[in-house]
Amino acid sequence: KLAEQLIANHPDAKERALALHEILLGRPPESGAEEAILNYASDSINKADLTESEAWTRICLGLYSSHSFRTLE
């Protein structure tokens, strides 16, 4: 559901990446993280034939399992 809400509320992928970080981690992405997210989303959609929702669901799950999420201060 989070990925679907992000897609609906933030049509621009860059805004979506920023919003996701703010929602899950309470801060903007660190250096290089935003670009990595955008590249992963693009590659997933264009090369792996995932839907936009599937790609962003994987990104959400990745951030949920990140060290930064598990150790929120």
Side-chain angles (χ1 to χ4, degrees):
K1 296 269 183 186
L2 177 57
E4 293 170 7
Q5 290 174 345
L6 285 168
I7 292 167
N9 295 330
H10 304 280
D12 178 69
K14 185 174 180 173
E15 288 179 20
R16 193 177 304 148
L18 293 173
L20 177 60
H21 260 268
E22 288 290 341
I23 292 167
L24 292 185
L25 304 178
R27 61 171 173 76
E30 294 177 355
S31 177
E34 180 183 342
E35 184 179 350
I37 288 172
L38 297 175
N39 287 340
Y40 179 84
S42 177
D43 287 350
S44 295
I45 294 165
N46 296 320
K47 295 180 182 177
D49 282 339
L50 295 180
T51 66
E52 188 172 38
S53 181
E54 290 169 330
W56 281 92
T57 295
R58 289 183 181 196
I59 292 166
C60 292
L61 292 173
L63 281 181
Y64 275 128
S65 66
S66 71
H67 178 30
S68 295
F69 182 78
R70 293 188 315 257
T71 57
L72 287 177
E73 295 179 9

